[in-house]
């Protein structure tokens, strides 16, 4: 018989958790302040849809180009400093994009912002996982939920600025200053020391009910397979997110003839359900393990969206997108957590690779779904959502089982 003895996190650990939450919040809010300004920027620059599409693709292109360097920077300067430095430079890039007077400057600024956002993303997750190890239980999903709150806050700030007639320059300068100051204050309370420092973990007196493929000593081939599976799991999560972001409104309005207001509810349902999934995700992971939570979520996403596509109705589709969002809520945090603890890799390398390759899902998903939709229908193109769920079911064995 075993008894779990969990100590209360030290004050420094609780402060570090709050500091990481602030970093996730600022990261979500910064870029969200720019998105509602896109139509105005497009009109002011006088560019067509093709040029606009190429210009905004500079953000994920910058992230993919620079993303692999994140691990090196984290090991050299520490995850907290890289996260804050990336936040400051992301704010600069977003401000420059908002003030751009040509499409070249606009794309270049977005490229810079995307590259810095990639550094921040890896670094803040690395530091969040350091804090999680000190807590001895899952808290990473709560950070991603706070990122969603930041994104909603940033979008609301932009909407309010537009409604009040505030120019892009003053609005985005205010946003950059406020969130940069918040990130700098948070740095003071982050964990000290290098990333290679062993983090104390509360003793639980419990062992995993089955040996974890991540913890066990693994040969290079085994590590490579596990890393590939984690990339697929994270990419499946991003494919579902992008399906809601890029296609939910269009599918509901064009294919199912929903009103404009109702068509927007598809993406809102996905994001809202994903937020709920992340809020409850840590407790579910602690109770049932990453593996069971991922498999259950994948099944919910596959069945929910599969039924919505099989029997297309507006209410059913909205519920389908909600099921998909809830189902994939913990996938990206889970993949990042496992990748950060892969044996045989330098600190931050596994996390960097998963984060970098995961972004390819955001870059490649829209054209792939679009090509399928043009050849058949958008309804067929959206089969990417249940297929992503099935992919997770196949790969989830690399995630940790529950503790006994």
């Amino acid at each position: 018989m075993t008894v779990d003895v969990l100590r209360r996190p030290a004050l420094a650990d609780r402060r570090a958790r709050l500091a990481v939450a602030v970093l996730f919040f600022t990261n979500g809010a910064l870029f969200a302040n720019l998105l509602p300004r896109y139509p105005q920027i497009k009109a002011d620059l006088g560019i067509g849809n093709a040029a606009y599409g190429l210009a905004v693709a500079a953000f994920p292109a910058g992230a993919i180009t620079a993303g692999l360097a994140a691990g090196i920077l984290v090991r050299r300067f520490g995850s907290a400093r890289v996260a804050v430095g990336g936040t400051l430079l992301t704010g600069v890039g977003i401000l420059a994009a908002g003030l751009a007077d040509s499409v070249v400057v606009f794309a270049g600024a977005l490229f810079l912002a995307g590259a810095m956002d990639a550094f921040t993303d890896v670094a803040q997750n690395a530091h969040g996982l350091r804090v999680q190890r000190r807590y001895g239980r899952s808290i990473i999903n709560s950070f991603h939920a706070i990122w969603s709150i930041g994104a909603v806050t940033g979008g609301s700030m932009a909407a309010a600025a537009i409604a009040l007639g505030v120019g892009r320059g003053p609005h985005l300068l205010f946003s950059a200053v406020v969130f940069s100051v918040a990130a700098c204050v948070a740095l003071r309370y982050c964990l000290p020391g290098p990333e290679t420092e062993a983090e104390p973990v509360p003793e639980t007196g419990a062992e995993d009910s089955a040996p974890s493929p991540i913890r066990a000593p693994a040969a290079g081939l085994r590590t490579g397979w596990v890393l590939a599976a984690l990339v697929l799991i994270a990419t499946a999560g991003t494919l579902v997110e992008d399906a809601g972001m890029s296609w939910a409104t269009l599918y509901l309005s064009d294919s199912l003839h929903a009103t404009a207001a109702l068509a927007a509810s598809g993406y809102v349902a996905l994001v809202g359900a994903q937020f709920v999934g992340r809020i409850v995700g840590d407790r579910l992971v602690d109770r049932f393990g990453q593996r069971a939570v991922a498999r259950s979520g994948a099944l919910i996403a596959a069945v929910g969206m599969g039924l919505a596509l099989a029997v297309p109705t507006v209410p059913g589709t909205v519920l389908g997108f909600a099921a998909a969002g809830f189902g994939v809520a913990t996938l990206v945090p889970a993949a990042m957590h496992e990748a950060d603890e892969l044996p045989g890799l330098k600190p931050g390398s596994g996390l960097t690779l998963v984060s970098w390759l995961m972004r390819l899902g955001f870059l490649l998903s829209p054209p792939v779904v679009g090509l399928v939709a043009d050849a058949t229908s958008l309804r067929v193109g959206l089969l990417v959502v249940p297929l992503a769920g099935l992919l997770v079911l196949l790969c989830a064995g690399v995630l940790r089982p529950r503790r006994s």
Side-chain angles (χ1 to χ4, degrees):
M1 179 176 178
T2 61
V3 178
D4 288 353
V5 182
L6 294 177
R7 67 168 174 84
R8 178 180 175 84
L11 178 60
D13 299 338
R14 297 199 301 272
R15 286 177 172 175
R17 181 177 183 177
L18 179 60
V20 175
V22 170
L23 293 177
F24 271 82
F25 181 89
T26 59
N27 182 247
L30 269 175
F31 190 57
N33 266 278
L34 179 64
L35 288 175
R37 295 287 192 173
Y38 273 179
Q40 185 182 7
I41 293 172
K42 179 177 180 291
D44 289 349
L45 295 179
I47 55 178
N49 290 326
Y52 169 76
L54 289 173
V56 297
F59 187 90
I64 291 170
T65 301
L68 284 178
I72 299 172
L73 293 175
V74 165
R75 290 191 296 273
R76 178 73 180 273
F77 301 105
S79 55
R81 291 179 180 176
V82 173
V84 174
T87 297
L88 300 181
L89 292 174
T90 299
V92 171
I94 289 172
L95 176 61
L99 298 176
D101 57 2
S102 71
V103 66
V104 174
V105 174
F106 178 57
L110 286 179
F111 186 92
L112 169 66
M116 296 304 103
D117 180 74
F119 294 158
T120 301
D121 184 40
V122 171
Q124 68 186 9
N125 276 284
H127 206 78
L129 290 168
R130 280 189 67 189
V131 176
Q132 175 171 282
R133 285 191 287 272
R134 294 176 74 98
Y135 266 67
R137 56 184 171 84
S138 179
I139 59 173
I140 190 66
N141 290 290
S142 66
F143 293 138
H144 285 257
I146 289 169
W147 184 94
S148 299
I149 297 174
V152 172
T153 301
S156 300
M157 287 173 59
I162 293 171
L164 295 172
V166 179
R168 290 199 302 273
H171 159 223
L172 294 175
L173 177 61
F174 175 79
S175 168
V177 170
V178 167
F179 295 120
S180 294
V181 169
C184 289
V185 172
L187 177 61
R188 180 181 178 183
Y189 299 100
C190 289
L191 296 175
E195 302 307 302
T196 53
E197 178 188 9
E199 305 292 351
V201 177
E203 294 186 7
T204 64
E207 300 295 333
D208 286 357
S209 60
S212 167
I214 308 298
R215 289 180 178 175
L221 183 61
R222 175 67 173 173
T223 300
W225 149 244
V226 172
L227 184 61
L230 293 176
V231 168
L232 291 176
I233 290 171
T235 302
T238 63
L239 287 174
V240 174
E241 289 182 34
D242 185 76
M245 184 185 304
S246 301
W247 303 106
T249 302
L250 188 63
Y251 177 66
L252 283 163
S253 60
D254 289 2
S255 300
L256 301 184
H257 310 294
T259 63
L262 190 55
S265 63
Y267 177 61
V268 172
L270 184 144
V271 174
Q274 185 180 58
F275 170 75
V276 172
R278 285 173 171 172
I279 286 294
V280 303
D282 289 317
R283 290 186 178 182
L284 293 175
V285 167
D286 285 334
R287 178 162 185 152
F288 301 107
Q290 296 274 23
R291 186 183 301 171
V293 172
R295 283 175 171 163
S296 300
L299 189 61
I300 290 172
V303 173
M305 197 63 195
L307 289 174
L309 293 173
V311 186
T313 65
V314 171
T317 299
V318 172
L319 289 175
F321 277 112
F326 183 84
V328 304
T330 65
L331 294 185
V332 172
M336 287 182 168
H337 174 209
E338 301 290 4
D340 194 51
E341 298 192 354
L342 273 175
L345 298 177
K346 294 179 180 179
S349 296
L351 178 60
T352 297
L353 284 169
V354 168
S355 178
W356 182 70
L357 292 171
M358 176 186 72
R359 290 175 181 268
L360 291 176
F362 280 117
L363 187 64
L364 299 177
S365 176
V368 169
V369 174
L371 286 172
V372 173
D374 284 344
T376 54
S377 68
L378 184 51
R379 181 182 171 191
V380 175
L382 284 175
L383 284 173
V384 68
V385 175
L387 289 176
L390 295 178
L391 180 63
V392 174
L393 286 172
L394 292 174
C395 297
V398 301
L399 299 175
R400 295 174 190 252
R402 65 168 295 188
R403 293 188 169 206
S404 60

